[in-house]
Amino acid sequence: MSAHADTHAHEDDHGHHHKETFVTKYIFSQDHKMIAKQYLVTGTIMGVIGVLMSMMFRMQIAWPEEPNVLFEALLGKWAPDGVMDADIYLALVTIHGTIMVFFVLTAGLSGTFSNLLIPLQIGARDMASGFLNMVSYWLFFLSSVIMVISLFVEAGPAAAGWTIYPPLSALPMAQGGSGMGMTLWLVSMAIFIASSLLGSLNYIVTVINLRTKGMSMTRLPLTIWAFFITAVIGVISFPVLLSAALLLIMDRSFGTSFFLSDIFIQGEVLHYQGGSPVLFEHLFWFLGHPEVYIVILPAMGLVSEIMASNSRKPIFGYRAMIASILAIAFLSTIVWGHHMFVSGMNPFLGSVFTFTTLLIAIPSAVKAFNWITTLWKGNLQMNPAMLFSIGFVSTFITGGLTGIILGDSALDINVHDTYFVVAHFHLVMGISALYGMFAGIYHWYPKMFGKMLNKNLGYIHFWITAVCAYGVFFPMHFIGMAGLPRRYYTNSNFPLFDDLANVNVIITIFALIGGAVQIVYLYNFFSSIFFGKKATQNPWKSTTLEWTAPVEHMHGNWPGEIPHVYRWAYDYSKPGHDVDFVPQNIPLKDGEEELQH
C-alpha cells in the first residue's frame, strides 16, 4: 500500500508539475509517455538512415559498375566518379542490418510501446523507476549517435556484416572498416545493451509489482504479456552478446586470442594461437536468435490487441496465446545452432537443433491460427492499423514457411548464405515487425499525441508498402534457390548469374518505390502532431485501461483514483450489454459471468 499512498501524494502534488521547464519536460523527462515518444522519434530517424542505406546498395546490385550521381553525393571518396567501392558496399550492408535490427526494431518497437502501454494498461502511475527509464533512453540515444558517427570515420565504418564474425571484426588490419569503425560499433553496441537491460528490468518490475487492484495476470492484455516476456528474454540473452563484444575488444586491442588462431596475412603468420571463431558464432547467436523473438513478440502483442479491437470480438484462445508466448520464449534459447549448420558442427548436434527449431513452429502456428480465427465472422473495421495487422499475419506466415526449410540442417546447406536466407528473415522478422510497429503507431497515435492520423494517407501507405515488400522479398527466394550468394557487391563476374540480373533490377525498383512511400507516412506522422484532427478519449471503442485516461497527458496518467479492474481485456460484443465493448473498469452485472477463453 505504501506505493499506492505514495502515488496519491504524487497526485495532490499535481500543481507543481506545471512548473516543469522545457528541459525536464521534453529532454530529461521521467514520464513514461514522453520517453515513449523519444524512443519513437529516435527510432524513426535511425530507420530513415537504415532504409536509405538499403536503397543505395540495392541500386548497386541492380546497376553495378554504373556511375550514379547519388553515390557521388552521399558517399564521396567511397564512390569515385559515382561508382560504388566494394568496401563501402559491405559497410552499408553491415550498418543497415545493425540499425534495423537493434536500433529500429528492438529499441524503436519495444522502447516505444513498452513505455507507453505498460503503465497505462496495467493501471500504474508510471514505471517502477522513472529515473532508470530516462537513463535507459539516453544510453540508447548515445549509442545511436556513436553508431552514426562511425559512418564518418576516415577508414570507413564496420564492414564485417551485422553479425561481425571474426577474423574480419577481430583483426584491426583485416580491411578498412576493421579499424576505428569496428571499435565504434562495439562501443555503441555495449552502450545499447546497457540501455536494453535497464529498460527490460524496469518493464519486468513494473508488470510484476504495479498492477492496479483487480488486474490479475490473466486479465492482462496480450500486449503486456508480450512486452513482459520480451523483457525477460532480453535480460537472459543480451549479457551474452555483451560478453562476446568485450572478448572481441580484448582480441582487437589487448592481444588476446579468444576468437583467433593460425592467421596468415600476406604469407606472414600472426602470433594469435588457440582461439576459435566458432566460439564467437555461438556467443553471438545465443543472443541473435532470442533477439529475433525480442523483435517479433512485441509486434505479436500489438497485433493481438488491435485485431480484437477491430474485429469487435474477443481474441480467440487468450490462454493459448499466453502459453505460446511462454513456449516461444523458452524454445528461443535452444535453437541458435540453426544459424551454424555450415560451420562444421557435429551432424548429430545439427539434428538436435533441427528438432528444436521445428518445434518452435508449433507455438508460432498456434498464434497464426488464433489471429485468423479472431478475424473469422468478426465485424471488421478496416482502418490502417487493422490492415497492417492483417499484413503482419500474412508476412509472418509466408516468411515462417521458408524457416522450415532453413531450420532443417540437410536442406539449409543448399541455400545457406544465399538470397533465400535474406528473403526469409526479412519477411518473418523485418517486414512483420515493421508492420506490427506501424499498426501500433496508427492505433495508439491518438493516445500518444492526442490527434488522429489521416486515414486516407494511411491506406496509401499500407497498400503501396505491402505490394512493394512482397515485390522485393518474394523474387529473392528464387534467386537464392538459383544460388546467388548474399553480400556480393556485384555478380557480373559470374556468367552463371547473368540471367538473374533482370530480377535484381525488378527487386530494386520495388525497393525504391517502397522506400519512397514511407515519405507519405512520415508526412502524416509529423504533420498530424500539429494539424491532425483532435482525438476523442476512446476513438476505437476499446476495452483496455489506457482509453479510460484523459486525452491530455498528465503526470500520473489518471486524475484522482486509478481505475480498478473487474474483467478481462477482451469483452467485445458481449451478450447482455447495450454496446459492443465493455471496458475493464466496469463492474460485472448481477449474474454476469467473466469470460476467459
Side-chain angles (χ1 to χ4, degrees):
M1 271 313 283
S2 62
H4 214 78
D6 182 45
T7 51
H8 281 298
H10 235 94
E11 214 34 67
D12 304 331
D13 218 26
H14 186 56
H16 298 297
H17 290 292
H18 289 298
K19 297 190 181 65
E20 284 184 316
T21 62
F22 179 84
V23 173
T24 57
K25 184 169 182 191
Y26 292 105
I27 301 174
F28 295 112
S29 172
Q30 295 189 21
D31 183 339
H32 71 101
K33 300 179 291 297
M34 184 54 67
I35 292 172
K37 291 186 208 176
Q38 291 175 319
Y39 267 109
L40 183 55
V41 172
T42 312
T44 302
I45 293 167
M46 294 301 279
V48 169
I49 296 170
V51 168
L52 278 173
M53 287 180 170
S54 64
M55 289 163 85
M56 274 160 55
F57 61 68
R58 272 312 324 172
M59 287 193 278
Q60 164 63 21
I61 302 168
W63 303 288
E65 321 294 327
E66 283 185 30
N68 187 319
V69 188
L70 199 65
F71 293 168
E72 204 163 8
L74 290 175
L75 299 175
K77 69 167 185 179
W78 298 109
D81 303 324
V83 178
M84 188 186 287
D85 184 70
D87 286 345
I88 202 68
Y89 176 84
L90 288 175
L92 288 173
V93 171
T94 301
I95 307 295
H96 161 79
T98 308
I99 284 179
M100 298 310 278
V101 172
F102 293 110
F103 293 81
V104 180
L105 297 177
T106 302
L109 187 55
S110 281
T112 301
F113 291 104
S114 299
N115 270 311
L116 178 72
L117 295 178
I118 288 176
L120 281 167
Q121 289 195 336
I122 67 174
R125 294 283 181 210
D126 207 309
M127 282 289 176
S129 166
F131 177 74
L132 266 192
N133 212 9
M134 176 185 80
V135 171
S136 154
Y137 168 72
W138 282 103
L139 286 174
F140 164 57
F141 181 80
L142 178 63
S143 73
S144 302
V145 169
I146 293 173
M147 191 58 77
V148 171
I149 286 173
S150 79
L151 299 174
F152 300 98
V153 169
E154 178 70 25
W162 80 277
T163 54
I164 57 160
Y165 283 0
L168 282 182
S169 58
L171 289 172
M173 71 291 274
Q175 61 186 40
S178 298
M180 183 53 130
M182 190 70 235
T183 303
L184 287 173
W185 191 100
L186 288 165
V187 170
S188 170
M189 282 314 298
I191 296 170
F192 178 87
I193 292 164
S195 151
S196 179
L197 286 172
L198 290 179
S200 295
L201 291 170
N202 217 352
Y203 306 150
I204 291 168
V205 173
T206 307
V207 172
I208 291 175
N209 286 346
L210 296 186
R211 303 191 306 279
T212 184
K213 191 170 189 291
M215 180 63 88
S216 62
M217 293 299 272
T218 47
R219 284 177 175 170
L220 286 173
L222 288 170
T223 37
I224 303 300
W225 269 105
F227 299 145
F228 175 55
I229 300 302
T230 300
V232 171
I233 304 176
V235 167
I236 291 167
S237 57
F238 263 117
V240 181
L241 183 65
L242 183 61
S243 67
L246 291 176
L247 295 180
L248 200 48
I249 289 170
M250 296 278 189
D251 272 14
R252 291 170 55 79
S253 307
F254 301 105
T256 57
S257 305
F258 291 107
F259 306 132
L260 293 167
S261 186
D262 304 322
I263 302 270
F264 293 81
I265 287 191
Q266 292 168 341
E268 187 188 336
V269 63
L270 301 185
H271 66 276
Y272 298 106
Q273 211 58 46
S276 165
V278 177
L279 169 62
F280 179 85
E281 292 188 31
H282 280 292
L283 291 174
F284 182 89
W285 287 116
F286 189 81
L287 156 95
H289 203 81
E291 166 65 21
V292 303
Y293 292 100
I294 290 171
V295 162
I296 205 75
L297 278 177
M300 289 174 159
L302 297 172
V303 162
S304 302
E305 183 61 43
I306 292 164
M307 279 202 171
S309 181
N310 285 311
S311 301
R312 314 311 294 161
K313 273 178 66 182
I315 189 83
F316 185 87
Y318 173 77
R319 286 173 185 245
M321 285 299 225
I322 296 172
S324 61
I325 290 174
L326 294 168
I328 284 172
F330 169 67
L331 290 169
S332 76
T333 59
I334 53 169
V335 296
W336 79 92
H338 65 218
H339 296 269
M340 301 169 55
F341 286 144
V342 297
S343 68
M345 67 157 58
N346 185 320
F348 174 72
L349 190 57
S351 65
V352 172
F353 278 122
T354 296
F355 175 65
T356 56
T357 302
L358 298 184
L359 273 186
I360 211 165
I362 298 169
S364 305
V366 166
K367 296 189 92 58
F369 288 127
N370 282 358
W371 286 319
I372 293 167
T373 317
T374 301
L375 294 174
W376 177 252
K377 294 195 172 176
N379 174 16
L380 305 184
Q381 314 294 307
M382 287 297 187
N383 48 41
M386 182 65 153
L387 288 174
F388 273 112
S389 299
I390 296 169
F392 168 93
V393 177
S394 166
T395 54
F396 185 70
I397 293 172
T398 47
L401 286 173
T402 53
I404 296 172
I405 295 164
L406 294 170
D408 187 312
S409 52
L411 298 176
D412 172 72
I413 288 167
N414 305 296
V415 284
H416 189 89
D417 257 341
T418 68
Y419 272 90
F420 192 85
V421 178
V422 179
H424 158 71
F425 75 78
H426 275 86
L427 276 179
V428 80
M429 172 185 103
I431 299 296
S432 297
L434 215 52
Y435 281 2
M437 189 171 177
F438 282 139
I441 291 166
Y442 280 101
H443 191 77
W444 278 284
Y445 191 91
K447 194 77 244 159
M448 275 191 269
F449 296 101
K451 299 286 178 69
M452 301 297 281
L453 284 165
N454 182 312
K455 204 171 171 181
N456 291 334
L457 291 179
Y459 289 142
I460 293 169
H461 178 215
F462 170 74
W463 284 111
I464 299 181
T465 302
V467 170
C468 290
Y470 271 133
V472 168
F473 297 114
F474 196 70
M476 274 192 196
H477 291 94
F478 299 105
I479 59 175
M481 286 191 285
L484 194 70
R486 50 195 289 212
R487 295 177 172 160
Y488 281 23
Y489 82 111
T490 172
N491 302 298
S492 49
N493 297 338
F494 306 99
L496 170 71
F497 299 134
D498 285 350
D499 295 346
L500 305 178
N502 294 338
V503 184
N504 264 325
V505 172
I506 291 168
I507 291 174
T508 297
I509 289 167
F510 273 120
L512 294 173
I513 297 169
V517 81
Q518 304 314 311
I519 296 170
V520 173
Y521 156 74
L522 291 171
Y523 167 77
N524 195 1
F525 184 92
F526 288 108
S527 71
S528 298
I529 294 175
F530 304 104
F531 311 116
K533 199 176 88 190
K534 205 163 169 9
T536 53
Q537 186 171 335
N538 188 355
W540 315 117
K541 300 193 167 23
S542 294
T543 56
T544 42
L545 288 183
E546 76 270 31
W547 305 107
T548 63
V551 179
E552 284 74 30
H553 284 182
M554 51 176 289
H555 196 83
N557 294 339
W558 286 272
E561 204 177 343
I562 296 178
H564 291 178
V565 168
Y566 300 95
R567 53 181 74 239
W568 74 323
Y570 298 100
D571 268 343
Y572 291 102
S573 305
K574 192 170 186 186
H577 286 271
D578 301 335
V579 282
D580 68 350
F581 71 107
V582 191
Q584 284 187 278
N585 61 336
I586 305 289
L588 294 168
K589 294 179 177 175
D590 289 342
E592 183 185 354
E593 273 185 55
E594 186 183 358
L595 291 175
Q596 273 194 356
H597 292 288

